[in-house]
Amino acid sequence: MAKQNVSEQFVDILVRAGVKRLYGVVGDSLNPVVDAVRRNAAIEWIQVRHEETAAFAAGAEAQVTGTLAACAGSCGPGNLHLINGLYDAHRSMAPVLALASHIPSSEIGLGYFQETHPELLFQECSHYNEMISNPQQMPRLLQTAIQHAIGRGGVSVVSMPGDIASQPAPEKSIEHALVTARPSVKPGDEEIEKLCRMIDEAKRVTLFCGSGTAGAHAEVMEFAERVKAPVGHALRGKEWIQYDNPYDVGMSGLLGYGAAYEATNECDLLILLGTDFPYNAFLPTDVKIVQVDVRPEHLGRRSKLDLAVWGDVRETLRALTPRVKVKTNRKFLDRMLKKHADALEGVVKAYTRKVEKHVPIHPEYVASVLDELADDDAVFTVDTGMCNVWAARYLTPNGKRRVIGSFSHGSMANALPQAIGAQFTDRNRQVVSMSGDGGFTMLMGDFLTLVQYNLPVKVVLFNNSSLGMVELEMLVAGLPSFGTTNTNPDFAAIARAAGAYGVRVEKPKQLEGALTDAFKHKGPALVDVVTDPNALSIPPKISADMVTGFALSASKIVLDGGVGRMLQMARSNLRNVPRP
């Protein structure tokens, strides 16, 4: 049996860790590893057009599957392109292993062609970032990197010079059992008792939920019923907590809607469940706050806490719920449910009147039709910017759908690359990229990756020929919009020229048929929808500075946004409120 080289051993360990694909762009120092992938039937090399796409795709795959994913870049500029997607994966707590191949080891530190220092460059966007400078470091260093990525939830970076990758692997190397899943964390009894006393003493309790409530929907609902608490959520908590939720009061934050802001500010005990919600301006300063999180570094960094609880949301609630006293007074909950329904009722009219005649098309209308037509288990990837708003307000979660975006890092151009990673996990599952024209054109070259692999991703392009969210930021600051207008081509024609299905929609009556046909198409498809650039959004809480900014702006058309089927949910919940 031929002796393994370091690259072959590297790839074998990735396979043992459950990695099925390695996303990247081939080249020089990376070639030995790519060749090892070629000769290993258990893993596939996914050739993308830009390494940033590789990192975004790996991050999305990890979020969809919950398992380790991997990407790679060649020395210098190649691996440097990974950095933005790795930042996003790291801040999304997606377990990703990145290989940053390096220049020849004998030339490091001598200003060699394409020399960079990956062990410095990736330090801030990784839990682990080390270089294999000697074959004897294998496989221990790679195994350590994998365990950091999975165990801590985020990115590990391994850099490896091309000459090291081609050398023989060490004999009798130690390969131990790999960590492939994270454990549950239960808080101590003392913290549970303290929290129990605080809840029993409080008259008005509100729950505010983030992505840490994944897998804890039933526990959150049981607890909310026991203490009669309205339940709000951050954007990353929407897919996990909003569905089948009779206590739902909407979302807080810059993209918020409904009564979540009121519920979090009018209670006397706010419990933050699995959320690292970054906008502390929306959090109260005069109520007691408890935070429950499995990541102790998240505790208390957004607001002053009266109690910090280190633990999984599900394990915490399982220990807590039986101990708290059942509350019978629903006045606060019912008042918040009514406020929520009233708030949604008031904004729906902004987009429901004469939409069939409105040209350019209301983006709210596009999002609402998309929500109706998409599969019950669709994966939506969402570009940063106004697409975030439409996804937050119109996509209806049901426990099976997924919504993935750059919600913590806030990068442009994430939706298409993330759709690639999501679609590779299951070619039979519907994957829809909600792309803005700004984000799409930034990494448009990887639309060709869809064609090359015949990935059936459906790109729904919200084409308003502008950077809409940036225009909103300028409006709020009292600045005239500048540098935000895009001169766009017919994207559907580009899609067809590339060998994909493409259709352009300019009138509302064309929309439903165009989306239906695109969804039926077996391969990649792009629906280029020309939308109204004046359809913007404002948050549920407006400061005096914001009002001044809008008053100074020349623009007069700022829609308050709609909420899609969430109004139906709110009305349904309101019907459950007991009548005197």
Side-chain angles (χ1 to χ4, degrees):
M1 181 176 177
K3 184 175 175 60
Q4 276 192 323
N5 65 23
V6 171
S7 291
E8 291 166 334
Q9 187 181 54
F10 189 100
V11 172
D12 279 352
I13 292 171
L14 289 185
V15 171
R16 284 182 53 218
V19 174
K20 294 180 172 58
R21 282 161 286 275
L22 187 59
Y23 299 88
V25 178
V26 298
D28 45 72
S29 58
L30 188 58
N31 290 341
V33 175
V34 176
D35 188 63
V37 173
R38 178 184 65 82
R39 290 180 283 108
N40 192 319
I43 189 170
E44 184 180 6
W45 174 258
I46 304 300
Q47 176 188 348
V48 295
R49 303 306 174 103
H50 195 296
E51 289 92 348
E52 184 175 348
T53 295
F56 270 124
E61 178 179 322
Q63 290 180 70
V64 170
T65 64
T67 59
L68 184 70
C71 58
S74 59
C75 63
N79 65 59
L80 189 59
H81 283 159
L82 295 171
I83 196 164
N84 193 48
L86 293 183
Y87 259 98
D88 181 79
H90 193 57
R91 299 191 68 184
S92 300
M93 297 186 291
V96 170
L97 188 286
L99 170 60
S101 67
H102 207 352
I103 63 173
S105 57
S106 61
E107 301 297 333
I108 294 174
L110 299 174
Y112 190 72
F113 175 64
Q114 293 189 326
E115 181 174 9
T116 59
H117 292 85
E119 71 278 12
L120 301 177
L121 289 167
F122 297 101
Q123 195 65 38
E124 195 176 43
C125 63
S126 63
H127 291 306
Y128 186 86
N129 177 26
E130 297 290 347
M131 181 171 69
I132 299 173
S133 55
N134 187 305
Q136 297 300 320
Q137 292 174 277
M138 280 288 288
R140 291 177 298 153
L141 190 146
L142 178 57
Q143 291 171 159
T144 301
I146 289 170
Q147 291 178 173
H148 272 78
I150 295 172
R152 298 187 64 183
V155 170
S156 283
V157 179
V158 173
S159 52
M160 182 165 62
D163 59 315
I164 300 294
S166 298
Q167 291 183 22
E171 293 184 10
K172 298 181 181 179
S173 57
I174 300 171
E175 294 189 17
H176 56 69
L178 292 170
V179 169
T180 56
R182 298 179 67 184
S184 297
V185 179
K186 179 181 175 295
D189 289 337
E190 185 177 348
E191 282 71 29
I192 293 294
E193 286 301 324
K194 286 180 182 178
L195 179 52
C196 186
R197 287 196 298 271
M198 293 177 71
I199 294 167
D200 288 345
E201 292 170 2
K203 293 182 178 179
R204 301 181 303 276
V205 179
T206 291
L207 310 182
F208 187 70
C209 302
S211 60
T213 57
H217 184 274
E219 286 78 8
V220 174
M221 295 303 106
E222 181 183 0
F223 181 69
E225 167 57 30
R226 194 170 182 90
V227 299
K228 306 301 183 286
V231 179
H233 59 267
L235 178 55
R236 290 191 66 197
K238 175 185 172 73
E239 62 178 326
W240 306 114
I241 214 67
Q242 190 188 35
Y243 70 95
D244 296 338
N245 181 356
Y247 318 101
D248 177 52
V249 290
M251 189 172 84
S252 192
L254 293 174
L255 310 185
Y257 55 82
Y261 176 79
E262 289 83 353
T264 55
N265 280 266
E266 295 180 25
C267 62
D268 50 32
L269 176 62
L270 173 61
I271 303 178
L272 306 174
L273 294 175
T275 179
D276 191 33
F277 182 69
Y279 304 109
N280 54 15
F282 292 87
L283 295 174
T285 57
D286 56 351
V287 305
K288 290 183 178 180
I289 302 179
V290 174
Q291 186 176 1
V292 179
D293 206 292
V294 74
R295 299 281 288 265
E297 66 270 24
H298 289 177
L299 296 170
R301 71 177 182 179
R302 306 301 184 195
S303 62
K304 182 177 179 292
L305 298 182
D306 295 274
L307 180 64
V309 179
W310 181 11
D312 294 331
V313 171
R314 183 170 64 178
E315 294 301 319
T316 301
L317 293 182
R318 284 178 174 177
L320 176 67
T321 301
R323 302 190 192 188
V324 299
K325 296 176 183 177
V326 176
K327 295 185 185 296
T328 57
N329 189 332
R330 288 181 53 106
K331 286 184 179 179
F332 178 63
L333 170 61
D334 293 342
R335 182 162 62 85
M336 290 300 110
L337 290 175
K338 187 173 188 312
K339 272 194 172 185
H340 180 59
D342 290 346
L344 301 193
E345 192 88 47
V347 299
V348 163
K349 295 175 183 176
Y351 76 96
T352 54
R353 287 186 233 168
K354 300 181 180 178
V355 291
E356 70 282 355
K357 297 181 180 178
H358 188 90
V359 178
I361 302 169
H362 277 310
E364 303 97 325
Y365 177 64
V366 180
S368 64
V369 174
L370 176 60
D371 180 56
E372 292 285 348
L373 295 180
D375 290 349
D376 285 344
D377 66 344
V379 178
F380 296 91
T381 60
V382 184
D383 260 342
T384 297
M386 295 310 298
C387 284
N388 263 339
V389 179
W390 314 138
R393 296 184 173 182
Y394 294 91
L395 296 185
T396 307
N398 57 12
K400 295 182 289 183
R401 286 179 167 181
R402 293 299 312 274
V403 182
I404 295 172
S406 186
F407 299 139
S408 295
H409 186 48
S411 173
M412 285 181 66
N414 61 286
L416 174 62
Q418 288 176 330
I420 291 171
Q423 191 72 82
F424 266 115
T425 67
D426 185 351
R427 285 178 173 269
N428 295 317
R429 188 176 186 181
Q430 187 181 74
V431 176
V432 180
S433 172
M434 293 178 63
S435 297
D437 57 289
F440 180 75
T441 52
M442 190 175 283
L443 286 175
M444 188 167 63
D446 269 294
F447 187 79
L448 299 177
T449 301
L450 300 183
V451 178
Q452 180 165 331
Y453 288 95
N454 196 30
L455 287 175
V457 170
K458 313 308 177 191
V459 178
V460 179
L461 187 58
F462 288 70
N463 181 6
N464 62 3
S465 297
S466 71
L467 302 177
M469 185 62 78
V470 180
E471 287 195 355
L472 176 59
E473 293 164 355
M474 290 178 171
L475 288 171
V476 169
L479 302 173
S481 59
F482 180 77
T484 59
T485 301
N486 297 327
T487 300
N488 287 332
D490 182 336
F491 290 108
I494 290 177
R496 292 192 296 271
Y501 180 93
V503 61
R504 184 173 173 91
V505 178
E506 298 179 345
K507 296 180 180 178
K509 64 181 181 181
Q510 301 168 333
L511 179 64
E512 185 171 344
L515 288 175
T516 299
D517 291 344
F519 287 165
K520 288 180 180 178
H521 183 70
K522 299 298 183 182
L526 183 145
V527 182
D528 179 8
V529 187
V530 180
T531 60
D532 188 351
N534 292 314
L536 301 177
S537 166
I538 57 176
K541 177 195 175 188
I542 305 295
S543 68
D545 289 344
M546 289 181 181
V547 172
T548 302
F550 279 116
L552 289 173
S553 170
S555 176
K556 301 298 182 184
I557 306 176
V558 181
L559 298 183
D560 200 10
V563 287
R565 284 188 278 178
M566 283 176 279
L567 175 59
Q568 300 172 21
M569 295 167 57
R571 286 171 174 165
S572 177
N573 290 344
L574 197 58
R575 284 197 293 270
N576 295 325
V577 173
R579 302 300 178 191

